[in-house]
Amino acid sequence: MISTRPNIGVRLAGTGSHLPENRLTNADLTKLMETNDEWIVQRTGIRERRKIDRAKGESTATLAAGALKNALAAARLNATDLDLIICATMTPEMECPATACVVSALVGAGHCGAFDLNAACSGFIFGMNTAHDLIKGGAYRTIAVIGADTLTELMDYSNNGRGTAIIFGDGAGAAIFRATDDTTKGILAQGMHADGEGWKEIYVPHEERDFPKGIACDTSKYGYVQMNGASVFKFAVGTFPELIQQTLDKANLTPDKIDMYVCHQSNARILGAARERFGIPEDRLYVNIDRYGNTVGASVPLCLDELVRAGRIKDGMKVMFLGFGGGLTWGSSLWQM
Ligand code: UT7
């Protein structure tokens, strides 16, 4: 990798997460639509997900702020130590201001920079790569990257939406990255990709012009995620192994040299297929989709936080982060911790 300041390394200083308490189990879903636990578990691996409670004031920003507070505590930092907050989300608090600005106010981060990044399920990966290279460039020393999403707000919990509504859940995770004199730490290889032609595979229509050519406008779909599940599944199963191989090749490493794979939790079957293809042992590719479903931008940092807290990601390890989803987007970030 070319770096403008080769004498600066980047380290992970702390992680945190925050989940709504309210659980939406597969049994709960059977009361809302024609579905069953067996179908959901077999097709996705999901048993329950979390759902925000608007009446309690929960939102993307409150989840994000909760995750950031926990990450700051783990890093033993104050909010005013942050130079920048990047919030990866496709379900922002509102159109303006950026959710990152609301979060900054909630945690008391003063005048640090704050902006949102929307790359759907790849958002946190794109955020990590951005934060790393901004620190490496020398202009920022401490950056918080948050992945926060509340997709349950965009679900049609009727039979019409059952193919999509069963997979998504709410949550937030955060990580703080800092400059270090240890130049061995930081990204060894990364990639950020998109195929804009694939936007029509996952979108949220709000008016007639939002529907792709050939799809009739249907006002009952306004405000709900429209996902071509089978097509996204095919894209993910093909792209995921390709992305792992490309990232390994860039770093000149073999799959067994990676201590942990931290992947977007989209579907347990997609993760299982990639694991088998590369002969990755089960304990090196983390799966928590059974407990949280697909939390979009939050899924990678939620896994990261659980792994760090369990002592399964430590200094000195090589960790590969992978994401793919709406856009269509896909990306990777391979770290020397
Ligand atoms: O993170 C963002 C990226 N998103 C993804 O990675 C999602 C990728 N896609 C998937 O994970 C899968 O496509 C889903 C889990 C969303 C759907 O699984 P599938 O195996 O692709 O199901 P399908 O949509 O092809 O539907 C198969 C059958 C259909 O019935 P028929 O036509 O075969 O009789 C559906 O009507 O299953 C039926 N079905 C359901 N049955 C029970 C669809 N949804 C449900 C449901 N419960 N919730």
Side-chain angles (χ1 to χ4, degrees):
M1 284 214 42
I2 300 162
S3 64
T4 34
R5 298 281 175 92
N7 55 337
I8 294 178
V10 183
R11 71 180 178 92
L12 176 65
T15 64
S17 51
H18 189 73
L19 290 149
E21 273 176 27
N22 184 25
R23 288 179 155 81
L24 189 62
T25 64
N26 291 350
D28 294 330
L29 289 176
T30 62
K31 292 171 199 146
L32 305 169
M33 60 184 77
E34 283 168 37
T35 190
N36 59 78
D37 179 59
E38 194 191 353
W39 191 95
I40 300 174
V41 172
Q42 245 176 34
R43 302 271 172 147
T44 69
I46 302 168
R47 293 184 186 278
E48 62 177 43
R49 60 285 303 131
R50 303 294 180 93
K51 186 174 180 357
I52 55 163
D53 184 347
R54 284 270 171 203
K56 284 189 192 157
E58 287 177 330
S59 67
T60 299
T62 67
L63 297 185
L68 178 54
K69 278 181 190 163
N70 290 334
L72 285 165
R76 296 197 172 88
L77 290 172
N78 296 314
T80 48
D81 293 325
L82 296 172
D83 298 323
L84 192 61
I85 300 172
I86 301 173
C87 185
T89 183
M90 64 162 275
T91 45
E93 197 74 355
M94 45 190 140
E95 281 159 22
C96 181
T99 302
C101 293
V102 181
V103 172
S104 174
L106 287 171
V107 302
H111 289 178
C112 81
F115 65 87
D116 287 0
L117 180 161
N118 181 352
C121 303
S122 311
F124 188 80
I125 306 285
F126 284 25
M128 294 175 96
N129 290 342
T130 305
H132 176 274
D133 286 10
L134 286 174
I135 293 171
K136 201 83 181 153
Y140 303 86
R141 291 194 64 82
T142 308
I143 302 181
V145 182
I146 308 167
D149 270 304
T150 50
L151 265 282
T152 64
E153 298 278 286
L154 305 179
M155 291 298 122
D156 174 0
Y157 289 107
S158 75
N159 280 346
N160 296 335
R162 68 176 183 162
T164 300
I166 51 138
I167 72 168
F168 291 104
D170 302 337
I176 296 169
F177 299 101
R178 297 204 92 185
T180 169
D181 293 338
D182 183 348
T183 54
T184 63
K185 290 190 190 303
I187 290 182
L188 302 172
Q190 61 160 294
M192 298 195 272
H193 309 276
D195 171 11
E197 294 291 340
W199 74 267
K200 29 187 118 53
E201 306 297 0
I202 311 178
Y203 63 101
V204 187
H206 292 284
E207 52 182 307
E208 190 173 350
R209 64 165 195 177
D210 296 338
F211 288 88
K213 243 190 200 149
I215 305 274
C217 169
D218 179 348
T219 57
S220 74
K221 292 181 174 166
Y222 283 6
Y224 294 128
V225 171
Q226 304 300 307
M227 181 175 76
N228 185 343
S231 183
V232 178
F233 188 88
K234 206 171 143 203
F235 151 75
V237 165
T239 307
F240 198 23
E242 228 172 76
L243 187 58
I244 293 177
Q245 192 58 57
Q246 278 171 6
T247 312
L248 289 169
D249 289 347
K250 280 185 198 170
N252 204 16
L253 291 170
T254 47
D256 55 299
K257 295 287 183 288
I258 305 302
D259 297 295
M260 189 62 75
Y261 292 84
V262 185
C263 309
H264 169 51
Q265 306 286 301
S266 61
N267 183 316
R269 284 191 292 154
I270 297 172
L271 299 176
R275 200 173 56 69
E276 279 168 29
R277 163 97 175 260
F278 288 94
I280 301 167
E282 247 180 74
D283 62 345
R284 288 198 183 189
L285 194 152
Y286 193 61
V287 177
N288 65 9
I289 193 170
D290 51 322
R291 287 175 283 138
Y292 310 129
N294 178 342
T295 54
V296 187
S299 86
V300 168
L302 280 174
C303 290
L304 172 62
D305 185 44
E306 288 191 341
L307 286 163
V308 168
R309 282 170 199 276
R312 292 175 61 188
I313 287 184
K314 290 187 249 186
D315 257 13
M317 285 185 167
K318 287 185 175 58
V319 181
M320 191 187 290
F321 299 89
L322 298 147
F324 47 85
L328 296 165
T329 56
W330 61 102
S332 63
S333 196
L334 171 56
W335 284 71
Q336 176 64 58
M337 291 290 173

